[in-house]
Structures are given as structure tokens and as C-alpha cells.
mmCIF file of all heavy atoms in Angstrom:
data_model
loop_
_atom_site.group_PDB
_atom_site.id
_atom_site.type_symbol
_atom_site.label_atom_id
_atom_site.label_comp_id
_atom_site.label_asym_id
_atom_site.label_seq_id
_atom_site.Cartn_x
_atom_site.Cartn_y
_atom_site.Cartn_z
ATOM 1 N N ASN I 1 40.284 -65.804 50.996
ATOM 2 C CA ASN I 1 41.034 -64.543 50.919
ATOM 3 C C ASN I 1 40.579 -63.689 49.735
ATOM 4 O O ASN I 1 41.333 -62.879 49.224
ATOM 5 C CB ASN I 1 42.538 -64.822 50.839
ATOM 6 C CG ASN I 1 42.898 -65.652 49.621
ATOM 7 O OD1 ASN I 1 42.055 -65.980 48.808
ATOM 8 N ND2 ASN I 1 44.170 -66.009 49.505
ATOM 9 N N THR I 2 39.328 -63.853 49.341
ATOM 10 C CA THR I 2 38.798 -63.142 48.175
ATOM 11 C C THR I 2 38.385 -61.711 48.477
ATOM 12 O O THR I 2 38.216 -60.908 47.560
ATOM 13 C CB THR I 2 37.554 -63.856 47.605
ATOM 14 O OG1 THR I 2 36.512 -63.807 48.592
ATOM 15 C CG2 THR I 2 37.855 -65.307 47.226
ATOM 16 N N GLY I 3 38.159 -61.404 49.751
ATOM 17 C CA GLY I 3 37.629 -60.090 50.099
ATOM 18 C C GLY I 3 36.120 -60.006 49.940
ATOM 19 O O GLY I 3 35.517 -59.001 50.282
ATOM 20 N N ARG I 4 35.505 -61.063 49.420
ATOM 21 C CA ARG I 4 34.043 -61.105 49.259
ATOM 22 C C ARG I 4 33.405 -61.564 50.557
ATOM 23 O O ARG I 4 33.953 -62.380 51.277
ATOM 24 C CB ARG I 4 33.672 -62.063 48.122
ATOM 25 C CG ARG I 4 34.123 -61.535 46.767
ATOM 26 C CD ARG I 4 33.973 -62.532 45.639
ATOM 27 N NE ARG I 4 32.662 -63.158 45.572
ATOM 28 C CZ ARG I 4 32.431 -64.275 44.887
ATOM 29 N NH1 ARG I 4 33.403 -64.857 44.226
ATOM 30 N NH2 ARG I 4 31.219 -64.784 44.860
ATOM 31 N N LYS I 5 32.232 -61.025 50.856
ATOM 32 C CA LYS I 5 31.501 -61.368 52.076
ATOM 33 C C LYS I 5 30.820 -62.731 51.939
ATOM 34 O O LYS I 5 30.366 -63.097 50.862
ATOM 35 C CB LYS I 5 30.445 -60.296 52.378
ATOM 36 C CG LYS I 5 31.044 -58.928 52.642
ATOM 37 C CD LYS I 5 31.798 -58.935 53.937
ATOM 38 C CE LYS I 5 32.345 -57.562 54.260
ATOM 39 N NZ LYS I 5 33.289 -57.580 55.345
ATOM 40 N N THR I 6 30.744 -63.450 53.068
ATOM 41 C CA THR I 6 30.057 -64.745 53.059
ATOM 42 C C THR I 6 28.562 -64.564 53.196
ATOM 43 O O THR I 6 27.802 -65.072 52.402
ATOM 44 C CB THR I 6 30.531 -65.655 54.210
ATOM 45 O OG1 THR I 6 30.308 -64.999 55.446
ATOM 46 C CG2 THR I 6 31.968 -66.046 54.050
ATOM 47 N N GLY I 7 28.128 -63.894 54.257
ATOM 48 C CA GLY I 7 26.704 -63.699 54.493
ATOM 49 C C GLY I 7 25.962 -65.005 54.657
ATOM 50 O O GLY I 7 26.545 -66.058 54.840
ATOM 51 N N PHE I 8 24.651 -64.906 54.616
ATOM 52 C CA PHE I 8 23.785 -66.079 54.627
ATOM 53 C C PHE I 8 22.537 -65.702 53.850
ATOM 54 O O PHE I 8 22.243 -64.531 53.661
ATOM 55 C CB PHE I 8 23.453 -66.556 56.049
ATOM 56 C CG PHE I 8 22.807 -65.523 56.913
ATOM 57 C CD1 PHE I 8 21.434 -65.360 56.928
ATOM 58 C CD2 PHE I 8 23.581 -64.703 57.709
ATOM 59 C CE1 PHE I 8 20.840 -64.399 57.715
ATOM 60 C CE2 PHE I 8 22.994 -63.736 58.505
ATOM 61 C CZ PHE I 8 21.635 -63.583 58.507
ATOM 62 N N TRP I 9 21.813 -66.697 53.401
ATOM 63 C CA TRP I 9 20.601 -66.458 52.623
ATOM 64 C C TRP I 9 19.489 -66.088 53.570
ATOM 65 O O TRP I 9 19.155 -66.851 54.475
ATOM 66 C CB TRP I 9 20.231 -67.701 51.829
ATOM 67 C CG TRP I 9 21.158 -67.954 50.703
ATOM 68 C CD1 TRP I 9 22.344 -68.637 50.760
ATOM 69 C CD2 TRP I 9 21.016 -67.517 49.359
ATOM 70 N NE1 TRP I 9 22.920 -68.649 49.540
ATOM 71 C CE2 TRP I 9 22.133 -67.972 48.652
ATOM 72 C CE3 TRP I 9 20.044 -66.791 48.679
ATOM 73 C CZ2 TRP I 9 22.303 -67.726 47.298
ATOM 74 C CZ3 TRP I 9 20.218 -66.551 47.340
ATOM 75 C CH2 TRP I 9 21.333 -67.012 46.664
ATOM 76 N N LEU I 10 18.880 -64.938 53.372
ATOM 77 C CA LEU I 10 17.810 -64.476 54.240
ATOM 78 C C LEU I 10 16.672 -65.489 54.310
ATOM 79 O O LEU I 10 16.099 -65.717 55.367
ATOM 80 C CB LEU I 10 17.283 -63.115 53.768
ATOM 81 C CG LEU I 10 16.277 -62.448 54.692
ATOM 82 C CD1 LEU I 10 16.862 -62.251 56.086
ATOM 83 C CD2 LEU I 10 15.835 -61.118 54.115
ATOM 84 N N GLU I 11 16.385 -66.149 53.200
ATOM 85 C CA GLU I 11 15.296 -67.119 53.218
ATOM 86 C C GLU I 11 15.614 -68.314 54.105
ATOM 87 O O GLU I 11 14.720 -69.042 54.520
ATOM 88 C CB GLU I 11 14.954 -67.595 51.805
ATOM 89 C CG GLU I 11 16.037 -68.455 51.176
ATOM 90 C CD GLU I 11 15.755 -68.772 49.721
ATOM 91 O OE1 GLU I 11 15.830 -67.857 48.896
ATOM 92 O OE2 GLU I 11 15.457 -69.925 49.423
ATOM 93 N N GLU I 12 16.876 -68.531 54.443
ATOM 94 C CA GLU I 12 17.233 -69.642 55.321
ATOM 95 C C GLU I 12 17.048 -69.288 56.793
ATOM 96 O O GLU I 12 17.150 -70.144 57.649
ATOM 97 C CB GLU I 12 18.692 -70.041 55.107
ATOM 98 C CG GLU I 12 18.934 -70.675 53.775
ATOM 99 C CD GLU I 12 20.377 -71.028 53.546
ATOM 100 O OE1 GLU I 12 21.269 -70.426 54.161
ATOM 101 O OE2 GLU I 12 20.604 -71.917 52.728
ATOM 102 N N LEU I 13 16.817 -68.026 57.065
ATOM 103 C CA LEU I 13 16.763 -67.585 58.444
ATOM 104 C C LEU I 13 15.482 -66.812 58.723
ATOM 105 O O LEU I 13 15.249 -65.750 58.167
ATOM 106 C CB LEU I 13 17.971 -66.698 58.725
ATOM 107 C CG LEU I 13 18.182 -66.248 60.158
ATOM 108 C CD1 LEU I 13 18.343 -67.436 61.080
ATOM 109 C CD2 LEU I 13 19.378 -65.341 60.227
ATOM 110 N N ALA I 14 14.662 -67.347 59.590
ATOM 111 C CA ALA I 14 13.400 -66.679 59.897
ATOM 112 C C ALA I 14 13.571 -65.592 60.958
ATOM 113 O O ALA I 14 12.955 -64.553 60.892
ATOM 114 C CB ALA I 14 12.380 -67.708 60.373
ATOM 115 N N ALA I 15 14.416 -65.821 61.949
ATOM 116 C CA ALA I 15 14.634 -64.849 63.022
ATOM 117 C C ALA I 15 16.074 -64.954 63.489
ATOM 118 O O ALA I 15 16.526 -66.031 63.874
ATOM 119 C CB ALA I 15 13.692 -65.137 64.187
ATOM 120 N N PRO I 16 16.837 -63.864 63.449
ATOM 121 C CA PRO I 16 18.264 -63.957 63.763
ATOM 122 C C PRO I 16 18.565 -64.011 65.267
ATOM 123 O O PRO I 16 18.070 -63.213 66.039
ATOM 124 C CB PRO I 16 18.828 -62.673 63.163
ATOM 125 C CG PRO I 16 17.693 -61.730 63.174
ATOM 126 C CD PRO I 16 16.456 -62.536 62.998
ATOM 127 N N TYR I 17 19.347 -64.990 65.640
ATOM 128 C CA TYR I 17 19.867 -65.103 66.992
ATOM 129 C C TYR I 17 21.349 -65.402 66.883
ATOM 130 O O TYR I 17 21.754 -66.239 66.097
ATOM 131 C CB TYR I 17 19.183 -66.237 67.763
ATOM 132 C CG TYR I 17 17.737 -65.948 68.020
ATOM 133 C CD1 TYR I 17 16.758 -66.394 67.144
ATOM 134 C CD2 TYR I 17 17.343 -65.191 69.110
ATOM 135 C CE1 TYR I 17 15.432 -66.102 67.357
ATOM 136 C CE2 TYR I 17 16.012 -64.890 69.326
ATOM 137 C CZ TYR I 17 15.075 -65.352 68.456
ATOM 138 O OH TYR I 17 13.757 -65.063 68.662
ATOM 139 N N TYR I 18 22.146 -64.710 67.663
ATOM 140 C CA TYR I 18 23.585 -64.922 67.654
ATOM 141 C C TYR I 18 23.960 -65.699 68.904
ATOM 142 O O TYR I 18 23.491 -65.379 69.992
ATOM 143 C CB TYR I 18 24.317 -63.575 67.631
ATOM 144 C CG TYR I 18 25.805 -63.717 67.669
ATOM 145 C CD1 TYR I 18 26.489 -64.132 66.546
ATOM 146 C CD2 TYR I 18 26.510 -63.473 68.830
ATOM 147 C CE1 TYR I 18 27.852 -64.284 66.580
ATOM 148 C CE2 TYR I 18 27.871 -63.619 68.874
ATOM 149 C CZ TYR I 18 28.530 -64.030 67.742
ATOM 150 O OH TYR I 18 29.889 -64.186 67.782
ATOM 151 N N VAL I 19 24.787 -66.691 68.749
ATOM 152 C CA VAL I 19 25.070 -67.585 69.863
ATOM 153 C C VAL I 19 26.559 -67.806 70.060
ATOM 154 O O VAL I 19 27.304 -67.895 69.100
ATOM 155 C CB VAL I 19 24.409 -68.956 69.592
ATOM 156 C CG1 VAL I 19 24.699 -69.932 70.690
ATOM 157 C CG2 VAL I 19 22.925 -68.783 69.441
ATOM 158 N N PHE I 20 26.976 -67.914 71.235
ATOM 159 C CA PHE I 20 28.222 -68.374 71.816
ATOM 160 C C PHE I 20 29.547 -67.889 71.267
ATOM 161 O O PHE I 20 30.498 -67.860 71.997
ATOM 162 C CB PHE I 20 28.265 -69.893 71.975
ATOM 163 C CG PHE I 20 28.154 -70.768 70.770
ATOM 164 C CD1 PHE I 20 29.114 -70.792 69.797
ATOM 165 C CD2 PHE I 20 27.072 -71.611 70.644
ATOM 166 C CE1 PHE I 20 29.014 -71.629 68.729
ATOM 167 C CE2 PHE I 20 26.962 -72.455 69.568
ATOM 168 C CZ PHE I 20 27.935 -72.465 68.609
ATOM 169 N N LYS I 21 29.741 -67.539 70.043
ATOM 170 C CA LYS I 21 31.057 -67.220 69.498
ATOM 171 C C LYS I 21 31.643 -66.008 70.213
ATOM 172 O O LYS I 21 31.302 -64.876 69.921
ATOM 173 C CB LYS I 21 30.951 -66.975 67.992
ATOM 174 C CG LYS I 21 32.263 -66.763 67.303
ATOM 175 C CD LYS I 21 33.061 -68.025 67.244
ATOM 176 C CE LYS I 21 34.295 -67.756 66.393
ATOM 177 N NZ LYS I 21 35.210 -68.794 66.373
ATOM 178 N N ASP I 22 32.529 -66.243 71.125
ATOM 179 C CA ASP I 22 33.213 -65.201 71.892
ATOM 180 C C ASP I 22 32.247 -64.253 72.596
ATOM 181 O O ASP I 22 32.619 -63.140 72.937
ATOM 182 C CB ASP I 22 34.156 -64.389 70.991
ATOM 183 C CG ASP I 22 35.252 -65.240 70.391
ATOM 184 O OD1 ASP I 22 35.717 -66.164 71.082
ATOM 185 O OD2 ASP I 22 35.637 -64.987 69.246
ATOM 186 N N ALA I 23 31.017 -64.684 72.808
ATOM 187 C CA ALA I 23 30.038 -63.808 73.444
ATOM 188 C C ALA I 23 29.884 -64.121 74.927
ATOM 189 O O ALA I 23 29.213 -63.405 75.640
ATOM 190 C CB ALA I 23 28.689 -63.941 72.746
ATOM 191 N N GLY I 24 30.496 -65.212 75.365
ATOM 192 C CA GLY I 24 30.377 -65.593 76.763
ATOM 193 C C GLY I 24 28.968 -66.028 77.125
ATOM 194 O O GLY I 24 28.588 -66.006 78.283
ATOM 195 N N VAL I 25 28.187 -66.415 76.138
ATOM 196 C CA VAL I 25 26.805 -66.816 76.375
ATOM 197 C C VAL I 25 26.770 -68.276 76.792
ATOM 198 O O VAL I 25 27.359 -69.130 76.142
ATOM 199 C CB VAL I 25 25.954 -66.616 75.094
ATOM 200 C CG1 VAL I 25 24.558 -67.161 75.279
ATOM 201 C CG2 VAL I 25 25.930 -65.159 74.705
ATOM 202 N N GLU I 26 26.102 -68.549 77.875
ATOM 203 C CA GLU I 26 25.894 -69.921 78.318
ATOM 204 C C GLU I 26 24.555 -70.395 77.777
ATOM 205 O O GLU I 26 23.545 -69.722 77.952
ATOM 206 C CB GLU I 26 25.892 -70.002 79.843
ATOM 207 C CG GLU I 26 27.271 -69.973 80.462
ATOM 208 C CD GLU I 26 28.123 -71.185 80.122
ATOM 209 O OE1 GLU I 26 27.603 -72.318 80.106
ATOM 210 O OE2 GLU I 26 29.304 -70.974 79.852
ATOM 211 N N ILE I 27 24.561 -71.512 77.135
ATOM 212 C CA ILE I 27 23.333 -72.063 76.583
ATOM 213 C C ILE I 27 22.930 -73.258 77.434
ATOM 214 O O ILE I 27 23.707 -74.164 77.650
ATOM 215 C CB ILE I 27 23.535 -72.512 75.124
ATOM 216 C CG1 ILE I 27 23.886 -71.316 74.266
ATOM 217 C CG2 ILE I 27 22.301 -73.221 74.606
ATOM 218 C CD1 ILE I 27 24.276 -71.671 72.871
ATOM 219 N N THR I 28 21.721 -73.238 77.923
ATOM 220 C CA THR I 28 21.180 -74.357 78.669
ATOM 221 C C THR I 28 20.312 -75.154 77.702
ATOM 222 O O THR I 28 19.272 -74.675 77.250
ATOM 223 C CB THR I 28 20.336 -73.858 79.861
ATOM 224 O OG1 THR I 28 21.155 -72.991 80.648
ATOM 225 C CG2 THR I 28 19.840 -75.009 80.696
ATOM 226 N N LEU I 29 20.766 -76.347 77.385
ATOM 227 C CA LEU I 29 20.066 -77.155 76.393
ATOM 228 C C LEU I 29 18.635 -77.457 76.787
ATOM 229 O O LEU I 29 17.767 -77.585 75.934
ATOM 230 C CB LEU I 29 20.834 -78.440 76.124
ATOM 231 C CG LEU I 29 22.204 -78.244 75.495
ATOM 232 C CD1 LEU I 29 22.869 -79.586 75.241
ATOM 233 C CD2 LEU I 29 22.112 -77.447 74.215
ATOM 234 N N ALA I 30 18.376 -77.528 78.077
ATOM 235 C CA ALA I 30 17.008 -77.792 78.534
ATOM 236 C C ALA I 30 16.057 -76.674 78.115
ATOM 237 O O ALA I 30 14.852 -76.880 78.037
ATOM 238 C CB ALA I 30 16.991 -77.957 80.041
ATOM 239 N N ASP I 31 16.608 -75.498 77.812
ATOM 240 C CA ASP I 31 15.773 -74.366 77.402
ATOM 241 C C ASP I 31 15.324 -74.458 75.942
ATOM 242 O O ASP I 31 14.482 -73.679 75.512
ATOM 243 C CB ASP I 31 16.536 -73.048 77.587
ATOM 244 C CG ASP I 31 16.760 -72.715 79.045
ATOM 245 O OD1 ASP I 31 16.060 -73.289 79.909
ATOM 246 O OD2 ASP I 31 17.644 -71.892 79.322
ATOM 247 N N PHE I 32 15.908 -75.372 75.168
ATOM 248 C CA PHE I 32 15.620 -75.458 73.740
ATOM 249 C C PHE I 32 15.143 -76.845 73.356
ATOM 250 O O PHE I 32 15.632 -77.848 73.858
ATOM 251 C CB PHE I 32 16.859 -75.091 72.915
ATOM 252 C CG PHE I 32 17.286 -73.668 73.121
ATOM 253 C CD1 PHE I 32 18.263 -73.348 74.041
ATOM 254 C CD2 PHE I 32 16.678 -72.644 72.414
ATOM 255 C CE1 PHE I 32 18.639 -72.030 74.263
ATOM 256 C CE2 PHE I 32 17.044 -71.327 72.624
ATOM 257 C CZ PHE I 32 18.032 -71.017 73.554
ATOM 258 N N ASP I 33 14.200 -76.876 72.430
ATOM 259 C CA ASP I 33 13.666 -78.138 71.933
ATOM 260 C C ASP I 33 14.454 -78.642 70.729
ATOM 261 O O ASP I 33 14.411 -79.821 70.407
ATOM 262 C CB ASP I 33 12.200 -77.962 71.531
ATOM 263 C CG ASP I 33 11.354 -77.552 72.720
ATOM 264 O OD1 ASP I 33 11.352 -78.282 73.722
ATOM 265 O OD2 ASP I 33 10.726 -76.471 72.654
ATOM 266 N N THR I 34 15.136 -77.725 70.058
ATOM 267 C CA THR I 34 15.850 -78.079 68.840
ATOM 268 C C THR I 34 16.841 -76.973 68.491
ATOM 269 O O THR I 34 16.866 -75.925 69.120
ATOM 270 C CB THR I 34 14.860 -78.286 67.668
ATOM 271 O OG1 THR I 34 15.573 -78.793 66.541
ATOM 272 C CG2 THR I 34 14.154 -76.999 67.295
ATOM 273 N N VAL I 35 17.617 -77.233 67.452
ATOM 274 C CA VAL I 35 18.508 -76.221 66.893
ATOM 275 C C VAL I 35 18.363 -76.259 65.370
ATOM 276 O O VAL I 35 18.138 -77.325 64.789
ATOM 277 C CB VAL I 35 19.981 -76.433 67.331
ATOM 278 C CG1 VAL I 35 20.575 -77.709 66.754
ATOM 279 C CG2 VAL I 35 20.856 -75.246 66.960
ATOM 280 N N PHE I 36 18.454 -75.081 64.764
ATOM 281 C CA PHE I 36 18.370 -74.951 63.306
ATOM 282 C C PHE I 36 19.596 -74.179 62.841
ATOM 283 O O PHE I 36 19.874 -73.097 63.345
ATOM 284 C CB PHE I 36 17.095 -74.193 62.920
ATOM 285 C CG PHE I 36 16.850 -74.123 61.432
ATOM 286 C CD1 PHE I 36 16.155 -75.129 60.789
ATOM 287 C CD2 PHE I 36 17.314 -73.055 60.683
ATOM 288 C CE1 PHE I 36 15.929 -75.071 59.419
ATOM 289 C CE2 PHE I 36 17.094 -72.988 59.318
ATOM 290 C CZ PHE I 36 16.395 -74.002 58.687
ATOM 291 N N TYR I 37 20.352 -74.748 61.921
ATOM 292 C CA TYR I 37 21.528 -74.113 61.341
ATOM 293 C C TYR I 37 21.208 -73.712 59.897
ATOM 294 O O TYR I 37 21.178 -74.563 59.019
ATOM 295 C CB TYR I 37 22.701 -75.091 61.291
ATOM 296 C CG TYR I 37 23.495 -75.277 62.554
ATOM 297 C CD1 TYR I 37 22.938 -75.826 63.698
ATOM 298 C CD2 TYR I 37 24.844 -74.940 62.590
ATOM 299 C CE1 TYR I 37 23.680 -76.021 64.845
ATOM 300 C CE2 TYR I 37 25.605 -75.139 63.730
ATOM 301 C CZ TYR I 37 25.019 -75.680 64.850
ATOM 302 O OH TYR I 37 25.774 -75.871 65.979
ATOM 303 N N PRO I 38 20.987 -72.422 59.619
ATOM 304 C CA PRO I 38 20.835 -71.999 58.229
ATOM 305 C C PRO I 38 22.205 -72.041 57.546
ATOM 306 O O PRO I 38 23.224 -72.176 58.220
ATOM 307 C CB PRO I 38 20.297 -70.576 58.338
ATOM 308 C CG PRO I 38 20.679 -70.109 59.683
ATOM 309 C CD PRO I 38 20.829 -71.320 60.552
ATOM 310 N N GLY I 39 22.225 -71.908 56.248
ATOM 311 C CA GLY I 39 23.470 -72.044 55.507
ATOM 312 C C GLY I 39 24.224 -70.755 55.272
ATOM 313 O O GLY I 39 24.324 -69.910 56.148
ATOM 314 N N GLY I 40 24.723 -70.609 54.060
ATOM 315 C CA GLY I 40 25.671 -69.566 53.724
ATOM 316 C C GLY I 40 27.054 -70.193 53.765
ATOM 317 O O GLY I 40 27.262 -71.229 54.393
ATOM 318 N N HIS I 41 28.014 -69.592 53.108
ATOM 319 C CA HIS I 41 29.354 -70.171 53.058
ATOM 320 C C HIS I 41 30.112 -70.090 54.382
ATOM 321 O O HIS I 41 30.975 -70.906 54.656
ATOM 322 C CB HIS I 41 30.175 -69.504 51.949
ATOM 323 C CG HIS I 41 29.838 -69.990 50.587
ATOM 324 N ND1 HIS I 41 28.803 -69.457 49.850
ATOM 325 C CD2 HIS I 41 30.388 -70.961 49.838
ATOM 326 C CE1 HIS I 41 28.735 -70.084 48.686
ATOM 327 N NE2 HIS I 41 29.689 -71.004 48.656
ATOM 328 N N GLY I 42 29.812 -69.114 55.218
ATOM 329 C CA GLY I 42 30.557 -68.894 56.454
ATOM 330 C C GLY I 42 30.720 -70.100 57.355
ATOM 331 O O GLY I 42 31.813 -70.305 57.907
ATOM 332 N N PRO I 43 29.691 -70.931 57.558
ATOM 333 C CA PRO I 43 29.826 -72.068 58.473
ATOM 334 C C PRO I 43 30.983 -73.010 58.128
ATOM 335 O O PRO I 43 31.491 -73.709 59.000
ATOM 336 C CB PRO I 43 28.485 -72.795 58.342
ATOM 337 C CG PRO I 43 27.525 -71.728 57.965
ATOM 338 C CD PRO I 43 28.318 -70.804 57.064
ATOM 339 N N MET I 44 31.410 -73.009 56.884
ATOM 340 C CA MET I 44 32.497 -73.898 56.489
ATOM 341 C C MET I 44 33.820 -73.471 57.121
ATOM 342 O O MET I 44 34.714 -74.294 57.292
ATOM 343 C CB MET I 44 32.613 -73.944 54.975
ATOM 344 C CG MET I 44 31.340 -74.488 54.347
ATOM 345 S SD MET I 44 31.441 -74.586 52.582
ATOM 346 C CE MET I 44 32.624 -75.907 52.416
ATOM 347 N N TRP I 45 33.933 -72.205 57.457
ATOM 348 C CA TRP I 45 35.155 -71.719 58.083
ATOM 349 C C TRP I 45 35.066 -71.731 59.608
ATOM 350 O O TRP I 45 36.037 -72.046 60.269
ATOM 351 C CB TRP I 45 35.490 -70.305 57.608
ATOM 352 C CG TRP I 45 36.193 -70.275 56.299
ATOM 353 C CD1 TRP I 45 37.537 -70.383 56.088
ATOM 354 C CD2 TRP I 45 35.600 -70.124 55.011
ATOM 355 N NE1 TRP I 45 37.815 -70.317 54.745
ATOM 356 C CE2 TRP I 45 36.634 -70.149 54.063
ATOM 357 C CE3 TRP I 45 34.292 -69.971 54.571
ATOM 358 C CZ2 TRP I 45 36.410 -70.024 52.696
ATOM 359 C CZ3 TRP I 45 34.063 -69.846 53.221
ATOM 360 C CH2 TRP I 45 35.116 -69.878 52.290
#
């Protein structure tokens, strides 16, 4: 409740892709070889 933004470290992310959160996106796991989760404080919430 600080009012400060979480963001993420740009160096942790090579190419931005937004996935599934209220987007109605279906992910087919067969389409991906792996997953990479960059950091930033936001994932904790």
C-alpha cells in the first residue's frame, strides 16, 4: 500500500510477452519448450 510501482528489471526481460491474467488466452504447452519468469517485486503479489 505504498503507492510505489513494482515494475520489473529490464535486464531480466529480453522480450515482453503478457500471458493469461484475465486475458482469456489459452496456452498450449506443446507450443513451448520452456518458460522463463523474470523478477521484480510484483510476482510476490
Side-chain angles (χ1 to χ4, degrees):
N1 60 3
T2 64
R4 292 171 50 197
K5 297 291 183 192
T6 58
F8 57 88
W9 289 86
L10 187 58
E11 69 187 70
E12 291 178 336
L13 186 59
Y17 293 93
Y18 178 75
V19 178
F20 61 66
K21 185 70 174 173
D22 298 325
V25 174
E26 281 295 319
I27 297 172
T28 305
L29 296 181
D31 291 342
F32 296 95
D33 299 303
T34 187
V35 67
F36 186 88
Y37 279 65
H41 282 86
M44 299 181 70
W45 278 274

